[in-house]
Amino acid sequence: MTTTSPVADPAASGRAATPRSQAILGQPNQLFVLFFTEMWERFSYYGMRGLLVLFLVTEAAKGGWGWTRAEATSLYGWYTGMAYLLPILGGYIADRYLGTRRSVLIGGFVIAAGHISMFLNTVPSFYAGLGLVVLGTGLFKPNVSAIVGQLYGPKEDNARDGGYTLFYMGVNAGAFFGILLCGYIGEKVSWHLGFGLAGLFMILGALQFWFSQGIFGDIGNPPTAADRAKASASAADEAPAHVVADRLKAIFVFSFFTIFFWFAFEQAGGSMTIFAADYTDRALVGTSGFVFKVVNSLMTVLPAIILTWLLWKLNRSTGSRYLLANAMLALAFAVIWGLVLWMLGREFALEQSEVPASWFGVLNSFFLVILAPMFSKMWEKHWNPAGSVKFGVGLVLLGLGFAALSYGSSGIPQGAKTAQVSMVFLCLAYLLHTMGELCLSPVGLSYISKLAPTRLLGLMFGVWFLNTAIANKLAGFTGSYIDDISNHYSMSVFFLIFTAIPIGAGVVLMLLTPWMKKKMHGVH
């Protein structure tokens, strides 16, 4: 049932008044505008990311560039690292000049231009496209997350945590369909059509956000001279200076420990993709092939049904006031359903199936869409420990996922270039990684919105993504040693590195819990 949600006192929250809005799943309907905007941006980002390394290492006769694994994972690390480095600048630009809404809008269209450039199928346009995606992500990524935090008042922490978890569900729904559809079309039809599909959905996402802006009222507007003066005046009304300083230290500690998480987690687009392509038994025949087709169909159709239902709820809530925005969403979902039914029909017509190497990347997003509501409920109703404990548990779970891969690859001979390891180990790894991610990433976004003063919100999200940038560069650098370590030791030892480091970091962070609680001064 649609109900009216209460609006926090803007004077108390230190931000512009949120227009009175209709609630969906107990959350303001503005959250779901951001949910779908971020969903399409992540569709484009992860859809292209899932193809990047595979495209680069595929021989030229099959449409790729024929790079070595080390070269491909190195470029992957530079690209993803820069995509998460630029948000610190994008957050500053939004805080000082553009405002968060305009930054999101410009960033979305720049990202779309980058994907279209990659679709053009020339070497210069490919590199230009990577550069445009990096620039656009710098403006888009920190500011869409900041707007989510601005939807809630200072006494709505539980709602904020649940809101960020639902928002994160949108992130991963986009990643799920991006990897699934762009990966399938890229591997089975044309690499550049896969890149082009990513651009199409980014255009639709940017248009949907553009036509929905009125729903946010004054939230995210460019700062005026009066706003800057008010922010300076309100600095005296926020927490005392030493409390603000301590809370910023807590943000920096949380952000620092994300390096240990993402440097391992981001092996998904590099060494784990290589492991899926060359060391995993992906051929399915007979009963196993039919079972996979059924499971894959359910995995694909069920999230599409859930998201279509959310679209219907948003349409009922916003009605004819945002007709064009809802039309963009409806068009995007029509394309999604068309591609899903085409892909599934094409696979069922084949007697023998080979699971695309990129398919394993969808497991993270699938598990997250399924598990996110459960974790949101757990934090709200059953178990809600300190942020440092949640982070620590997330790091340990991530390490256990790589322990599964290390065990599964223990039978691969030293220096082997191919093998036939069961898919079970990759599936288990992605399940554990997803559980770890839910303990860390949406929780971290929520803590930044609670700990940072409003005047520094965009910048602090930029700091968060700066550390993610460092982690992504490290992910590419360490992933490029997959052949060297496998040749000198074993594939099992390679994955054991990513077992030990996150677990060690998680234990250290949990031991810091008393100090972290002191620095957060009552924020939970």
Side-chain angles (χ1 to χ4, degrees), residues 187-188 276 281-284 292 353-360 423:
E187 285 192 70
K188 303 279 188 173
D281 183 6
R282 296 181 288 115
L284 298 171
F292 171 77
S353 292
E354 182 179 67
V355 180
S358 59
W359 178 86
F360 293 94
M423 293 191 295

Side-chain angles (χ1 to χ4, degrees), residues 187-217:
E187 285 192 70
K188 303 279 188 173
V189 182
S190 162
W191 296 109
H192 295 283
L193 281 177
F195 293 135
L197 184 63
L200 170 65
F201 280 95
M202 189 65 252
I203 292 171
L204 292 173
L207 288 172
Q208 175 249 334
F209 184 75
W210 186 13
F211 293 131
S212 298
Q213 288 187 81
I215 202 170
F216 296 102

Side-chain angles (χ1 to χ4, degrees), residues 85-358:
L85 175 64
L86 268 290
I88 193 168
L89 178 61
Y92 176 79
I93 290 172
D95 285 342
R96 296 291 297 171
Y97 306 109
L98 293 179
T100 50
R101 284 216 322 260
R102 189 177 293 175
S103 298
V104 168
L105 189 63
I106 294 172
F109 283 113
V110 172
I111 292 168
H115 289 298
I116 292 169
S117 182
M118 295 179 73
F119 166 72
L120 296 178
N121 199 13
T122 68
V123 173
S125 67
F126 183 86
Y127 285 111
L130 287 177
L132 288 170
V133 173
V134 164
L135 290 173
T137 302
L139 279 174
F140 186 101
K141 190 67 180 164
N143 296 306
V144 70
S145 299
I147 296 173
V148 173
Q150 292 172 316
L151 298 179
Y152 302 93
K155 297 181 180 180
E156 298 178 292
D157 283 350
N158 282 345
R160 188 195 311 266
D161 288 350
Y164 268 108
T165 300
L166 285 172
F167 175 72
Y168 207 68
M169 177 182 166
V171 169
N172 283 272
F176 174 84
F177 283 105
I179 296 169
L180 182 75
L181 297 175
C182 294
Y184 184 87
I185 290 173
E187 285 192 70
K188 303 279 188 173
V189 182
S190 162
W191 296 109
H192 295 283
L193 281 177
F195 293 135
L197 184 63
L200 170 65
F201 280 95
M202 189 65 252
I203 292 171
L204 292 173
L207 288 172
Q208 175 249 334
F209 184 75
W210 186 13
F211 293 131
S212 298
Q213 288 187 81
I215 202 170
F216 296 102
D218 292 333
I219 291 175
N221 279 344
T224 63
D227 291 332
R228 294 189 186 99
K230 189 182 296 182
S232 298
S234 66
D237 297 329
E238 63 188 24
H242 73 282
V243 174
V244 172
D246 280 351
R247 288 175 175 171
L248 292 179
K249 290 175 186 175
I251 289 176
F252 278 100
V253 171
F254 279 134
S255 300
F256 173 73
F257 274 89
T258 64
I259 295 175
F260 299 99
F261 186 89
W262 295 117
F263 111 95
F265 184 91
E266 286 297 330
Q267 297 302 313
S271 63
M272 288 177 70
T273 296
I274 291 170
F275 184 79
D278 297 335
Y279 297 94
T280 301
D281 183 6
R282 296 181 288 115
L284 298 171
V285 295
T287 302
S288 62
F290 179 76
V291 170
F292 171 77
K293 291 172 184 176
V294 172
V295 170
N296 187 45
S297 298
L298 291 174
M299 284 178 56
T300 305
V301 170
L302 288 177
I305 291 173
I306 293 170
L307 293 168
T308 304
W309 174 76
L310 281 176
L311 170 61
W312 176 75
K313 295 285 286 185
L314 180 62
N315 184 62
R316 284 196 64 190
S317 177
T318 57
S320 59
R321 291 177 297 148
Y322 302 102
L323 187 61
L324 285 174
N326 290 332
M328 292 298 105
L329 282 175
L331 176 59
F333 272 91
V335 176
I336 287 285
W337 275 107
L339 289 172
V340 162
L341 294 175
W342 166 78
M343 178 190 72
L344 296 177
R346 192 171 186 260
E347 285 301 298
F348 268 100
L350 298 175
E351 291 185 7
Q352 177 175 333
S353 292
E354 182 179 67
V355 180
S358 59

Side-chain angles (χ1 to χ4, degrees), residues 376-399:
S376 179
K377 181 69 70 176
M378 180 175 70
W379 301 143
E380 289 184 35
K381 302 291 185 183
H382 303 294
W383 185 55
N384 192 21
S388 53
V389 174
K390 293 177 184 175
F391 267 53
V393 170
L395 283 158
V396 170
L397 287 168
L398 176 72

Side-chain angles (χ1 to χ4, degrees), residues 53-54 73 264-280 357-358 360-361 364 398 401-402 405 425-431 433 479 482 491 494-495 498:
V53 169
L54 291 174
T73 51
F265 184 91
E266 286 297 330
Q267 297 302 313
S271 63
M272 288 177 70
T273 296
I274 291 170
F275 184 79
D278 297 335
Y279 297 94
T280 301
S358 59
F360 293 94
N364 169 241
L398 176 72
F402 280 104
L405 284 179
F425 295 103
L426 264 177
C427 294
L428 178 59
Y430 275 112
L431 174 61
H433 289 184
I482 183 172
M491 183 69 70
F494 175 78
F495 286 123
F498 301 102

